[in-house]
Amino acid sequence: MFSAILQEFKGYFNRDFLFTVFLPVLFFSGVSLALFLEIRMGLGKALTAWENFSLQTQTILLLSGLVAVITAAYVLYIFQYVILRIFAGYWSGIPMLRKLRNSRVALFKRQSEYLNNEAQRAGTTTLTNEILARRMTYYPPSHHLDKMMPTRFGNVLRLSQIYMHDRYGIDSAIIWTRLRPLLKTETINALEEIKISLDFSILMTLLFVAFTLIWCPVLAVWTDRWGLFLICASGWLLAWTSYRNAVQSALAYSEQIAATFDLYRYDLLKALDRPIPQSAEAERKEWLRLSRFFYRNIPLPPPAPTEAKGWERVAKSLAEYIDDLHPKSDDHDGEER
Amino acid sequence: MILSRLRKRPFDPLGLIYWLVLLAVPVVAWRMYENSMQTSILVFARDLPAFHVIEANDLVAKKINASEVTSDTVRDLSDLSGHYTRNAIKAAQPINKKEVVVISDPSLIRNTVAVPFTANSQTIFSDLLSAGDIVSMAVLPKSVSLPPHELMLDSALVLSIDSVGSNRVITLALPADRWSKYLPQSQDATLVIARRVK
């Protein structure tokens, strides 16, 4: 029974949970507790008080702290998807951010336009290329400005969706859940590796901002501990660094997702028993039909007859040749059928 | 050229807020540093005359530079409560411990007037007199025809001792309702002040 419980726990405390939520929450809880004790009584006195506790009390306190941290981490873990979406700029459902969304999208459009102009004005080819590379890395293509998101993180994640849609007509949000089970373990591992880094960076950004916005005013209003204040204020810079790191992770993730679709999309078609399209146009149509089928339940047309290949083609040509040599009457044909 | 480019660059209000917060950090830290360099002391809320019995409503807290605080600066209320001012003290100034004197017996300063006496080594039986001491006063008639010396006051509070030229001026707290009685007694007599042993 114990091993069953342990297995259950292992399921909950996987690597993803440990790195993306538990460790950051543990770190910030520990630092916050240390700060609180330092302000209230001084760390030295707190440690002396801790040493004066009995072993039983120490164990109970440690366990209670651990349970509190795990609970907080688990709550964050549940809301991680929501947090990610907020960072990606899906703000339509949040009335407070809805207005901000429009102004941010307009700003990013202006920035994109600005980079285009800068690229045209750049004196050298190298500089032009550099500016255009930046433009293409952080903003949707000029013909997809309507898909602009209100955050840089969101725009970077959008790039892979636009790429898949433009190249193959794939709606990645719908198709991804069908494709994922078909992926090889090493591909999934590579994706998860980047996803852990991305989630970690996003949560660190959030926690650094929260830490700074809570502790700096507390220290400034109730104490004159300027050294501690500066340490806490460094969280503001670290939040920015974490966010930049999250954007870079999102770039890598976006690239990896695009590569996965490039390499494995036919596997999904095979698994769905759909023919492999022969042209880019046919492929776009096929993925569009599949997306509509999955998303809106619009029935799929039967697969178009495919041209025979190899020995099948030789056999077919031979049959036609024999038919030409010995033409059969319509009646016979009918009888044979 | 760089400036014109910056001007054309789309303005990001959120970015500006971020940098403003970042710029506010050193400003706030500097204010906190200055605060940490200051210390809170008690000062008088208004100008006080000499020999004023200090009460809680005479005092306010004030932050001053820690460098202005010496070991003689009064910091705690306990150093002021039950004390009187030895001399006139200006408001909002750090109070020196020497400027206030503890009252060992409050009844000795209640309803009293400050009466200065010129004293010399002959009139003071003890050279160790200091403000706050309790003394006995007696008069020694200069003329032998007068009655022998009489104890004028059993206990009186020494408010201050100041030097004026070669003489010393001792200011005593004498009961307000009786002090006029002492004046005729002290005429043609030597005033002797002796410190009471506690």
Side-chain angles (χ1 to χ4, degrees):
Chain A
M1 188 187 166
F2 181 72
S3 62
I5 292 170
L6 203 67
Q7 280 300 322
E8 190 78 9
F9 264 96
K10 267 189 180 173
Y12 282 112
F13 301 111
N14 50 21
R15 204 163 148 261
D16 183 27
F17 175 79
L18 196 73
F19 282 100
T20 62
V21 187
F22 179 73
L23 287 181
V25 170
L26 184 69
F27 173 74
F28 281 98
S29 310
V31 173
S32 294
L33 181 69
L35 255 176
F36 175 76
L37 292 173
E38 176 63 27
I39 293 169
R40 283 301 295 260
M41 57 169 85
L43 264 185
K45 276 187 186 172
L47 280 174
T48 313
W50 172 258
E51 280 163 8
N52 290 337
F53 286 140
S54 66
L55 187 66
Q56 198 180 5
T57 315
Q58 285 182 349
T59 313
I60 290 170
L61 284 174
L62 269 180
L63 282 176
S64 310
L66 195 65
V67 167
V69 168
I70 289 172
T71 311
Y74 199 70
V75 169
L76 270 179
Y77 191 59
I78 291 167
F79 285 105
Q80 207 175 22
Y81 182 65
V82 178
I83 293 167
L84 204 71
R85 276 183 70 84
I86 290 172
F87 270 87
Y90 292 94
W91 298 346
S92 311
I94 308 167
M96 235 168 58
L97 294 175
R98 208 176 294 153
K99 263 192 177 177
L100 184 65
R101 183 189 193 283
N102 295 338
S103 65
R104 296 296 296 169
V105 166
L107 171 77
F108 279 115
K109 281 181 182 172
R110 284 200 304 276
Q111 283 185 351
S112 156
E113 189 66 26
Y114 168 77
L115 284 178
N116 280 338
N117 294 338
E118 283 291 291
Q120 279 174 5
R121 273 202 296 269
T124 61
T125 318
T126 316
L127 194 58
T128 306
N129 288 342
E130 275 177 14
I131 295 170
L132 283 178
R134 202 162 78 224
R135 158 76 185 76
M136 286 190 292
T137 308
Y138 294 114
Y139 304 91
S142 300
H143 57 282
H144 277 302
L145 287 181
D146 58 314
K147 291 187 171 60
M148 190 75 81
M149 297 300 284
T151 65
R152 178 160 288 190
F153 179 75
N155 280 324
V156 167
L157 284 180
R158 258 286 160 93
L159 286 175
S160 63
Q161 292 176 3
I162 292 169
Y163 171 85
M164 257 92 76
H165 191 266
D166 277 2
R167 288 280 190 292
Y168 314 119
I170 291 175
D171 187 335
S172 57
I174 297 169
I175 301 300
W176 175 246
T177 43
R178 276 88 186 171
L179 180 63
R180 199 182 179 283
L182 304 176
L183 300 178
K184 287 177 187 166
T185 317
E186 57 261 38
T187 312
I188 291 174
N189 285 348
L191 271 169
E192 279 185 351
E193 203 71 39
I194 303 169
K195 183 72 170 35
I196 284 173
S197 159
L198 189 149
D199 289 340
F200 177 79
S201 303
I202 284 293
L203 195 66
M204 288 302 273
T205 307
L206 184 73
L207 292 176
F208 271 128
V209 168
F211 179 80
T212 310
L213 291 183
I214 291 169
W215 281 109
C216 280
V218 167
L219 286 163
V221 173
W222 283 291
T223 74
D224 51 10
R225 308 285 296 272
W226 60 274
L228 285 179
F229 175 82
L230 279 179
I231 290 171
C232 290
S234 67
W236 195 244
L237 268 178
L238 290 171
W240 180 76
T241 316
S242 292
Y243 182 70
R244 299 285 292 191
N245 194 46
V247 170
Q248 293 307 312
S249 296
L251 263 175
Y253 187 68
S254 201
E255 196 64 33
Q256 191 75 23
I257 291 273
T260 307
F261 272 97
D262 287 340
L263 296 172
Y264 295 98
R265 67 187 192 284
Y266 287 161
D267 288 358
L268 179 61
L269 288 178
K270 282 175 198 163
L272 292 170
D273 202 20
R274 300 294 298 171
I276 305 297
Q278 296 304 307
S279 67
E281 189 53 38
E283 184 171 2
R284 263 196 287 275
K285 280 181 184 167
E286 178 65 10
W287 285 114
L288 189 67
R289 280 195 292 264
L290 278 169
S291 296
R292 284 176 181 164
F293 171 68
F294 291 132
Y295 192 57
R296 295 192 218 157
N297 203 18
I298 295 173
L300 285 170
T306 51
E307 269 199 31
K309 280 181 183 176
W311 282 110
E312 205 180 322
R313 193 173 173 179
V314 174
K316 199 176 173 187
S317 304
L318 195 62
E320 281 170 5
Y321 175 72
I322 291 167
D323 275 352
D324 287 345
L325 284 179
H326 306 287
K328 291 169 185 169
S329 69
D330 287 350
D331 292 343
H332 278 121
D333 276 345
E335 278 170 18
E336 277 179 6
R337 276 176 203 140
Chain B
M1 189 181 168
I2 295 168
L3 272 176
S4 69
R5 277 193 174 187
L6 277 175
R7 248 179 263 134
K8 281 177 201 162
R9 201 182 170 85
F11 171 68
D12 181 0
L14 275 188
L16 181 72
I17 291 171
Y18 179 86
W19 287 107
L20 281 179
V21 171
L22 205 62
L23 285 174
V25 167
V27 177
V28 176
W30 178 251
R31 287 297 302 265
M32 290 172 75
Y33 169 76
E34 280 185 334
N35 273 347
S36 72
M37 289 292 113
Q38 289 192 327
T39 184
S40 186
I41 57 160
L42 289 168
V43 294
F44 291 122
R46 56 197 167 84
D47 292 350
L48 289 185
F51 316 130
H52 173 86
V53 179
I54 300 163
E55 289 171 3
N57 58 6
D58 293 326
L59 301 163
V60 285
K62 187 190 176 188
K63 283 199 161 185
I64 60 161
N65 244 336
S67 59
E68 290 177 41
V69 179
T70 63
S71 56
D72 283 338
T73 306
V74 175
R75 301 186 69 146
D76 300 323
L77 184 64
S78 61
D79 290 336
L80 293 168
S81 173
H83 287 60
Y84 69 90
T85 54
R86 189 198 291 259
N87 45 279
I89 300 177
K90 291 261 181 205
Q93 297 296 315
I95 306 163
N96 194 299
K97 282 177 183 169
K98 289 173 186 162
E99 291 178 310
V100 291
V101 183
V102 66
I103 310 163
S104 51
D105 183 356
S107 67
L108 294 178
I109 199 165
R110 216 173 289 137
N111 299 320
T112 58
V113 287
V115 182
F117 295 96
T118 309
N120 52 40
S121 57
Q122 289 174 339
T123 57
I124 303 176
F125 268 22
S126 169
D127 272 345
L128 298 170
L129 264 189
S130 59
D133 281 346
I134 297 168
V135 291
S136 292
M137 266 172 66
V139 284
L140 285 177
K142 285 179 182 166
S143 162
V144 285
S145 59
L146 287 169
H149 75 274
E150 186 182 321
L151 194 64
M152 202 171 140
L153 198 66
D154 184 47
S155 53
L157 181 70
V158 177
L159 290 173
S160 70
I161 298 174
D162 303 297
S163 294
V164 179
S166 60
N167 291 326
R168 283 208 286 177
V169 176
I170 300 177
T171 308
L172 296 176
L174 300 182
D177 54 341
R178 288 158 59 196
W179 85 277
S180 55
K181 238 173 53 180
Y182 304 134
L183 283 175
Q185 285 184 2
S186 60
Q187 277 180 346
D188 279 338
T190 305
L191 200 66
V192 180
I193 297 167
R195 184 168 174 265
R196 287 179 70 92
V197 179
K198 287 170 190 169

